[in-house]
């Protein structure tokens, strides 16, 4: 590049000297030592101003891209006669804190135009960190997440993008960036050798936090939702109001009808037996018997709703064929008492182990369902009367006796291991965010992990329910009547409890009759 004319040298250097003098005064106010100021800071600042002058870049337009170009430029600035006595050859480098101090000085004094929201955005990170602390994240994780979030804020600052204007395209640029920008005393950026290498889960959590507080718009497009037909909403209300169907079952029926409604049509007055049976057969092709039975039940319930509304004749309900189910055909899966005790003993003494031990004791001693445990609240435990209240699948809670070992395990978990959160449900996640165990599937996962630790095999995909089956089987073998087992398992019908009569194989052998086909040869 050609050198600038000599008549610019005096005015240019005078302007540089005045600016660098102001910069050194600012460094003294920051507590930088005189030796460091004299030895390290004026040179990079002067060289940067010289390079800007030679490349024709205005100081006010400096951004991260310009800084990166300067740090990687092939330096021939000393070749110009008017600057040869003022700058030294520049060595390529990935970052320079002395230069970045000068850039920040130019920004603070208004010589470089910026969005002006850096400090406000950093305060948002502090608020996010406080929220993470409340939700139980460890200090080490919070520090790591803050570093990633600070990197995003600094990148936005030097690319001159306001945080409120962050959109999917800008976020994609951040993820695919090849350089991090540094701010001395705040963030030490490092060059990225592969796109997305330093992308951290904390940044995603931070962006979700910003969306929740309304500071930015969601970066991911909202999923397209199809408006549900009004009749399905009425069907859902009818199930809850007039049939007393629980929420989970109500949703199951509604989803099943939503799948077949396009084939049935919008006008119930056009329904007939042939259409109903054809639609049902079309949707159960190559599906399991369980799915077919659930769909038939849902369709039958939907037709009853239409009949109650006067849309169809009540006799049309009989058009839904019954899916064959052989009662008591399956054998409950259970394990031995030793396997149960080994599974309970496999839980450790850390907070997670104390929680899992209390859950396994509730499953094995009281034969609770996974959903009972997930919804159990502290108010459901009556310590004075040694009782625990559960509702199960019905709307009528039942009081069950609280055995000593179960009560001790619950008390130990609640007083020593349960996180201190404002939540009345008993069992809380062991890892942040500290929220209640919301799903029965989580309880089943805890049970399966305990069975795996204990080396229990042969139970297939069973989780929490295998402990319920085992307790009922052991009660039967110890001489308990089916009425007692029905009361413990809270079965509304004795027929449901009858399945356990087949699990006591030794007793069945005593009453087994010889095979009429004769002796085996």
């Amino acid at each position: 590049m050609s050198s600038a004319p000599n008549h610019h040298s005096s005015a240019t250097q005078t302007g540089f000297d005045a600016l660098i003098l102001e910069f050194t005064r600012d460094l003294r106010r920051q507590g930088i030592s005189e030796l460091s100021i004299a030895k390290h800071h004026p040179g990079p600042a002067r060289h940067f101003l010289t390079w800007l002058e030679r490349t024709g870049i205005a100081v006010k337009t400096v951004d991260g891209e310009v800084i990166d170009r300067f740090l990687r430029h092939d330096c021939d600035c000393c070749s110009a006669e008017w600057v040869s006595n003022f700058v030294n050859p520049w060595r390529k480098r990935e970052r320079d804190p002395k230069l970045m101090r000068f850039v920040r000085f130019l920004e603070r004094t208004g010589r470089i135009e910026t969005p002006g929201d850096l400090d406000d955005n950093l305060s948002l990170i502090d608020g996010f960190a406080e929220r993470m602390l409340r939700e139980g994240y460890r200090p080490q994780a919070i520090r790591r997440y803050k570093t990633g979030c600070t990197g995003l804020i600094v990148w936005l600052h030097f690319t001159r993008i306001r945080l409120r204007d962050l959109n999917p395209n800008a976020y994609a640029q951040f993820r695919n960036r090849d350089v991090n920008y540094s701010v001395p005393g705040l963030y030490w950026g490092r060059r990225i050798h592969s796109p997305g290498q330093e992308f951290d889960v904390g940044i995603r959590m931070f962006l979700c936090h910003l969306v929740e507080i309304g500071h930015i718009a969601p970066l991911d497009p909202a999923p397209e939702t199809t408006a549900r037909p009004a009749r399905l909403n009425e069907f859902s209300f009818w199930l809850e109001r007039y049939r007393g169907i629980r929420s989970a079952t109500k949703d199951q029926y509604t989803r099943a009808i939503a799948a077949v409604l396009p084939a049935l049509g919008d006008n119930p007055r056009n329904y007939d037996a042939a259409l109903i049976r054809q639609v049902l057969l079309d949707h159960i092709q190559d599906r399991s018997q369980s799915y077919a039975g659930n769909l038939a039940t849902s369709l039958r319930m939907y037709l009853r709703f239409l009949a109650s509304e006067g849309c169809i004749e009540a006799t049309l309900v009989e058009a839904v064929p019954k899916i064959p189910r052989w009662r008591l055909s399956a054998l409950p899966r259970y394990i031995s008492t030793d396997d149960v005790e080994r599974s309970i003993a496999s839980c450790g003494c850390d907070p997670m182990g104390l929680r899992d031990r209390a859950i396994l004791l509730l499953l094995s001693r009281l034969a609770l369902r996974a959903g009972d445990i997930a919804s159990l609240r502290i108010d459901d435990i009556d310590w004075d009367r040694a009782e625990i209240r559960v509702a199960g699948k019905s709307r009528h809670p039942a009081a069950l006796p609280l055995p000593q070992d179960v009560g001790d395990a619950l008390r130990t978990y609640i007083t020593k291991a349960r996180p201190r959160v404002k939540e009345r449900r008993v069992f809380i996640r062991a890892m942040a965010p500290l929220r209640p165990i919301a799903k029965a599937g989580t309880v089943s996962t805890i049970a399966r992990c305990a069975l795996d630790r204990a080396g229990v095999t042969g139970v297939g995909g069973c989780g929490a329910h295998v402990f319920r089956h085992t307790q009922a089987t052991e009660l039967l073998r110890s001489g308990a009547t089916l009425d007692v087992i029905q009361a413990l398992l809270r079965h509304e019908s004795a027929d449901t409890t009858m399945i356990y009569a087949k699990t006591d194989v030794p007793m069945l052998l005593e009453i087994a009759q010889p095979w009429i086909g004769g002796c085996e040869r």
Side-chain angles (χ1 to χ4, degrees):
M1 179 179 294
S2 61
S3 302
N6 287 338
H7 68 269
H8 287 300
S9 61
S10 177
T12 299
Q13 292 302 320
T14 301
F16 287 179
D17 290 342
L19 184 57
I20 292 174
L21 179 60
E22 185 180 349
F23 172 50
T24 56
R25 290 172 180 170
D26 183 74
L27 291 175
R28 291 189 184 96
R29 287 193 292 269
Q30 297 180 41
I32 306 297
S33 68
E34 289 292 340
L35 179 61
S36 177
I37 293 175
K39 186 176 181 180
H40 300 296
H41 290 82
R46 188 181 299 277
H47 199 144
F48 184 57
L49 293 173
T50 300
W51 180 82
L52 291 176
E53 178 79 14
R54 299 192 70 207
T55 53
I57 298 176
V59 173
K60 67 178 182 179
T61 63
V62 169
D63 58 10
E65 183 180 355
V66 171
I67 295 169
D68 193 46
R69 282 179 56 193
F70 170 74
L71 291 174
R72 294 193 282 182
H73 80 284
D74 293 323
C75 184
D76 63 348
C77 300
C78 301
S79 63
E81 180 180 351
W82 66 285
V83 299
S84 60
N85 296 326
F86 298 98
V87 299
N88 296 321
W90 183 262
R91 297 179 180 177
K92 288 186 179 181
R93 62 196 74 183
E94 294 183 355
R95 64 196 70 84
D96 190 322
K98 292 85 175 178
L99 173 66
M100 295 309 298
R101 283 197 179 97
F102 182 58
V103 171
R104 288 290 293 140
F105 161 75
L106 296 175
E107 291 178 345
R108 289 196 304 273
T109 56
R111 291 178 172 89
I112 295 179
E113 296 179 352
T114 69
D117 59 352
L118 178 61
D119 293 335
D120 293 337
N121 293 342
L122 293 175
S123 66
L124 292 173
I125 297 179
D126 294 334
F128 170 62
E130 293 175 1
R131 173 180 176 177
M132 295 177 68
L133 187 62
R134 291 194 303 269
E135 292 184 352
Y137 285 88
R138 297 178 180 177
Q140 299 90 332
I142 295 177
R143 286 195 295 270
R144 185 171 65 252
Y145 293 163
K146 285 186 65 176
T147 299
C149 296
T150 304
L152 170 64
I153 296 302
V154 170
W155 182 87
L156 289 172
H157 173 76
F158 283 110
T159 50
R160 309 313 183 200
I161 299 175
R162 295 180 60 88
L163 179 58
R164 289 186 177 275
D165 298 331
L166 182 63
N167 55 41
N169 291 334
Y171 185 55
Q173 294 176 28
F174 168 72
R175 293 202 61 182
N176 296 322
R177 69 199 185 282
D178 61 356
V179 65
N180 271 332
Y181 304 116
S182 299
V183 174
L186 176 64
Y187 179 72
W188 181 247
R190 297 180 180 179
R191 189 162 300 280
I192 299 174
H193 300 289
S194 61
Q197 177 181 343
E198 292 190 0
F199 179 70
D200 189 79
V201 65
I203 297 177
R204 294 196 300 268
M205 297 168 59
F206 177 56
L207 295 177
C208 291
H209 167 73
L210 295 179
V211 172
E212 289 179 10
I213 64 176
H215 197 81
I216 65 173
L219 298 183
D220 297 326
E224 296 183 1
T225 55
T226 304
R228 195 163 67 172
R231 183 164 280 113
L232 273 185
N233 294 327
E234 297 170 1
F235 175 52
S236 178
F237 175 78
W238 179 81
L239 288 172
E240 182 179 4
R241 179 69 180 273
Y242 298 104
R243 300 304 296 253
I245 302 296
R246 289 175 61 88
S247 178
T249 307
K250 178 186 67 175
D251 293 341
Q252 177 184 334
Y253 287 166
T254 306
R255 288 193 301 269
I257 297 304
V260 301
L261 195 57
L264 287 173
D266 296 331
N267 189 358
R269 301 192 182 279
N270 295 332
Y271 295 177
D272 56 25
L275 174 64
I276 292 172
R277 290 176 179 174
Q278 187 60 50
V279 169
L280 179 62
L281 290 175
D282 290 343
H283 282 78
I284 64 175
Q285 288 288 345
D286 302 323
R287 304 299 294 267
S288 66
Q289 186 178 20
S290 175
Y291 175 85
N294 291 334
L295 180 58
T297 302
S298 304
L299 185 55
R300 200 174 292 114
M301 189 68 72
Y302 180 62
L303 294 176
R304 290 194 182 104
F305 157 71
L306 294 177
S308 69
E309 296 289 311
C311 299
I312 62 172
E313 296 292 334
T315 54
L316 198 57
V317 176
E318 302 302 325
V320 181
K322 293 184 177 180
I323 306 300
R325 292 184 180 180
W326 289 271
R327 292 178 62 251
L328 308 179
S329 60
L331 187 67
R333 293 182 177 181
Y334 60 93
I335 57 180
S336 67
T337 304
D338 292 339
D339 290 339
V340 171
E341 298 305 322
R342 283 206 319 276
S343 301
I344 296 173
S346 69
C347 300
C349 297
D350 59 329
M352 182 184 295
L354 295 176
R355 182 204 64 185
D356 293 352
R357 185 173 188 274
I359 289 176
L360 293 177
L361 284 170
L362 286 170
L363 291 172
S364 60
R365 304 295 191 260
L366 296 179
L368 297 187
R369 297 181 178 91
D372 297 333
I373 293 177
S375 60
L376 185 65
R377 303 175 67 85
I378 293 179
D379 301 332
D380 295 331
I381 306 174
D382 190 336
W383 300 103
D384 296 332
R385 302 180 62 179
E387 289 182 348
I388 184 170
R389 291 184 294 273
V390 292
K393 293 183 178 180
S394 68
R395 295 178 181 269
H396 307 291
L400 300 177
L402 189 62
Q404 185 67 45
D405 58 346
V406 180
D408 291 342
L410 281 172
R411 181 177 179 276
T412 301
Y413 167 67
I414 293 174
T415 58
K416 296 183 179 180
R418 186 178 182 272
R420 300 291 184 254
V421 294
K422 295 181 180 179
E423 173 58 50
R424 302 305 295 171
R425 271 188 281 184
V426 174
F427 295 106
I428 307 296
R429 287 165 45 103
M431 298 180 64
L434 299 179
R435 298 169 183 167
I437 292 178
K439 297 181 180 179
T442 305
V443 178
S444 290
T445 300
I446 292 172
R448 280 195 295 271
C449 291
L451 293 171
D452 292 340
R453 288 195 304 267
V456 179
T457 59
V459 292
C462 291
H465 231 60
V466 73
F467 291 91
R468 180 176 172 88
H469 292 326
T470 299
Q471 177 69 340
T473 302
E474 292 300 325
L475 285 174
L476 182 66
R477 289 180 176 179
S478 63
T481 63
L482 289 177
D483 291 337
V484 172
I485 298 175
Q486 178 185 355
L488 175 65
L489 301 184
R490 290 163 290 129
H491 288 158
E492 293 187 1
S493 172
D495 292 340
T496 309
T497 315
M498 286 293 295
I499 192 172
Y500 294 102
K502 302 187 300 180
T503 60
D504 194 351
V505 177
M507 183 180 295
L508 291 176
L509 289 175
E510 294 181 4
I511 62 174
Q513 298 296 317
W515 172 242
I516 59 175
C519 298
E520 182 181 357
R521 294 182 180 179

